[in-house]
Amino acid sequence: MHETPYSVTGVWNQPWNEAGLCAWAENLRRRLGPRTVTFGLLFVTPRFFPHAAELLEILRVHAHIPVLAGCSTLGLIADGREIEEGTGFVLGLYSLPEAKIRAVHVGSDIGAESVLAEAGIDAAAYDAVLAFAEPFRTDVEPWLNGVQAALPGVPVYGGLAAGRGVDETTQVYCDGSVFDEGGVVLAIGGVRCIGVTAQGCAPVGDTWTITRAERNIIRQIGNRPAVEVLTETFEGLSDEEKERSGGNLFVGLVVDEYRDDYQRGDFLIRSLIAADPDSGSILVGALPRSGQTLQFQLRD
């Protein structure tokens, strides 16, 4: 998130402090000057999970946020800098007076069409959608397909929540509520939205064929346990690459299987959510299939 005359961002990278947070939120709001807040985007690290509901209330009240959406994360980015292993949250405030904004939670077990229709969110009134989904308890691709089916022709941007891999816990936020399943849809209307996609990752190691996959779990790659191939790829990195690979390894799924050679830009990049040494499986933010070509990716 980058600051403009119509937006401000701030990072809280300290322990929980209710009084301090109230003052911090008020100060961030003042940086918008006379403009009113149209909506806010919030990204929270796992350390603040126990305080998430209270945090939402503090920010909404003291930063005067009418619509708030976001999800959990492992790293924080604000004011042009990245804070790896952050311990707090990042909040962005946006002032778009001409915009029509609506946020709604869509559960993992109900159709997006009915939820969005009931909320009055349709393709005729909205120009773009930000969507943040929970990947452990939610079958993300069908969930996203439902959102797209409910809003034909409307571009959908966003990503997957990240959190604690040990107990597979992530969070998504919609106004004052915290959810550990499904996703939040932030619909934007009345303004032109332009999406920019950066590859952001470079292939590392060899290309492989997925030989056993179930939903978003890859069990075997090249007829070997997926974790074994992941470990081998990591060990093949240079010392400098190993140093910056913490939390920065992703999965690349080939877009066009008919090419003879794959380069940077030929992959659909998806999150490497977790790895289980006991079963030898890896959990990814996609629905890969057996026979699909995969190559691990290192974020630039």
Side-chain angles (χ1 to χ4, degrees):
M1 294 186 284
H2 185 69
E3 192 163 318
T4 74
Y6 298 95
S7 69
V8 294
T9 60
V11 57
W12 177 277
N13 198 27
Q14 304 172 39
W16 176 262
N17 181 331
E18 183 176 344
L21 281 166
C22 294
W24 180 91
E26 291 171 1
N27 289 332
L28 185 66
R29 165 65 188 83
R30 290 193 190 101
R31 285 165 53 189
L32 273 178
R35 298 181 179 89
T36 59
V37 178
T38 307
F39 68 96
L41 293 178
L42 176 66
F43 302 96
V44 181
T45 60
R47 183 170 294 185
F48 271 35
F49 280 3
H51 304 287
E54 189 178 358
L55 175 64
L56 295 181
E57 185 64 18
I58 289 173
L59 297 180
R60 293 174 71 215
V61 170
H62 291 274
H64 301 174
I65 308 173
V67 179
L68 181 62
C71 65
S72 55
T73 181
L74 294 178
L76 303 175
I77 300 176
D79 299 327
R81 62 193 181 99
E82 183 172 7
I83 306 168
E84 293 289 353
E85 302 300 329
T87 58
F89 64 87
V90 164
L91 174 66
L93 302 179
Y94 302 87
S95 179
L96 300 174
E98 304 301 320
K100 179 180 180 182
I101 306 292
R102 185 71 188 274
V104 62
H105 174 258
V106 178
S108 59
D109 58 349
I110 53 179
E113 293 91 337
S114 60
V115 174
L116 296 179
E118 185 176 341
I121 298 175
D122 58 49
Y126 292 91
D127 304 290
V129 161
L130 287 178
F132 305 107
E134 183 284 322
F136 290 113
R137 297 167 181 80
T138 304
D139 206 343
V140 174
E141 287 206 14
W143 183 90
L144 181 58
N145 290 339
V147 173
Q148 292 176 315
L151 300 166
V154 176
V156 179
Y157 310 102
L160 299 178
R164 295 192 301 247
V166 176
D167 57 2
E168 299 186 345
T169 299
T170 63
Q171 295 179 342
V172 292
Y173 312 116
C174 183
D175 291 331
S177 299
V178 180
F179 300 93
D180 62 1
E181 56 80 35
V184 58
V185 171
L186 181 76
I188 304 172
V191 295
R192 184 185 180 195
C193 299
I194 301 174
V196 178
T197 302
Q199 182 66 21
C201 288
V204 293
D206 299 321
T207 56
W208 297 88
T209 299
I210 299 172
T211 48
R212 185 183 174 195
E214 301 170 11
R215 297 183 61 177
N216 64 334
I217 301 173
I218 300 177
R219 299 197 180 279
Q220 292 185 350
I221 300 173
N223 292 315
R224 297 165 56 194
V227 167
E228 183 178 305
V229 177
L230 172 61
T231 302
E232 181 181 289
T233 301
F234 174 80
E235 293 299 330
L237 298 177
S238 66
D239 291 341
E240 187 273 333
E241 288 174 327
K242 288 179 180 178
E243 186 176 348
R244 64 184 177 89
S245 66
N248 291 327
L249 279 176
F250 290 77
V251 170
L253 302 174
V254 165
V255 176
D256 182 3
E257 294 280 357
Y258 295 98
R259 300 185 62 139
D260 295 327
D261 185 37
Y262 305 116
Q263 305 294 331
R264 181 171 180 157
D266 293 333
F267 299 89
L268 181 65
I269 307 300
R270 289 293 182 260
S271 298
L272 176 58
I273 299 172
D276 182 5
D278 293 332
S279 67
S281 303
I282 61 175
L283 184 68
V284 302
L287 293 179
R289 65 182 186 279
S290 296
Q292 194 168 16
T293 301
L294 170 149
Q295 189 169 9
F296 291 104
Q297 310 281 321
L298 182 61
R299 186 173 67 182
D300 185 350

